[in-house]
Amino acid sequence: MADLELNGWDLIVFDADGTLRRTTVPGQPCPHTQGEWELLPGVAETLREIAGAARPPHLGVATNQDHVGYGLLEETVARQLVQDLFVAAIGRPLEAEAVVLCPHPREAGCGCHKPAPGMLHRLMAHFGACPEGTLFVGDAPTDREAAERARVTFAWAWDFFGWGWRGGGVA
């Protein structure tokens, strides 16, 4: 966590793809099965640091998974793949309610597909967190816009994880 402190955050929400993991299948934006993803640099170390803090903030995930809506991926598989990344990073999954995904196609116009703030609102309501105590970490302009709409603080993944450049180690 390059320049961010844990103190003061009740909830830290992460985007999944491009923020915590990258897909190893060329041209595929999200994994469809085990073995199609890897953690990005610094993710495991940072998540372990957060989870091991004396008073750790709640952790959540807000991820667009439109491949579910297009019939390319089952929603249960998409959820499990997100949980698997936390098992890989910190040795345990998050509670089920901490993983919120939008399974709708991009063009559906729902209130949860980022840049809409629905997933962030849902996580804040679940954890009883206020916007001022919530941080959203992402890698896309739609993530930043969702944070603005939800009135939460936003951090670019490359700054949060200390990559020093955009793209999580993808040269």
Side-chain angles (χ1 to χ4, degrees):
M1 290 182 316
D3 296 319
L4 297 169
E5 286 290 323
L6 287 180
N7 296 335
W9 299 121
D10 298 318
L11 171 62
I12 300 176
V13 180
F14 298 93
D15 170 53
D17 299 301
T19 299
L20 298 174
R21 67 182 179 194
R22 72 173 139 227
T23 305
T24 57
V25 178
Q28 187 174 293
C30 64
H32 291 182
T33 188
Q34 266 308 338
E36 293 186 351
W37 63 273
E38 61 190 9
L39 289 174
L40 286 165
V43 167
E45 297 82 2
T46 301
L47 291 180
R48 279 194 297 267
E49 179 184 337
I50 294 169
R55 290 181 29 131
H58 297 287
L59 300 178
V61 174
T63 177
N64 290 339
Q65 294 292 310
D66 47 25
H67 278 201
V68 172
Y70 296 129
L72 302 171
L73 176 63
E74 293 291 325
E75 185 172 345
T76 55
V77 173
R79 286 183 185 285
Q80 186 59 53
L81 289 169
V82 171
Q83 290 287 20
D84 290 347
L85 80 83
F86 278 90
V87 171
I90 63 173
R92 63 175 171 77
L94 298 179
E95 64 176 280
E97 296 81 11
V99 176
V100 179
L101 59 85
C102 172
H104 307 112
R106 214 169 308 150
E107 60 279 355
C110 64
C112 57
H113 198 282
K114 294 176 294 182
M119 291 188 284
L120 294 172
H121 288 154
R122 184 170 160 191
L123 285 163
M124 286 187 290
H126 173 71
F127 288 113
C130 64
E132 298 79 21
T134 301
L135 174 66
F136 183 40
V137 181
D139 71 315
T142 53
D143 295 327
R144 187 181 68 195
E145 186 176 339
E148 289 171 1
R149 289 180 176 189
R151 302 190 188 287
V152 304
T153 301
F154 178 76
W156 291 109
W158 47 88
D159 292 332
F160 188 83
F161 293 109
W163 300 332
W165 68 91
R166 198 174 167 165
V170 178

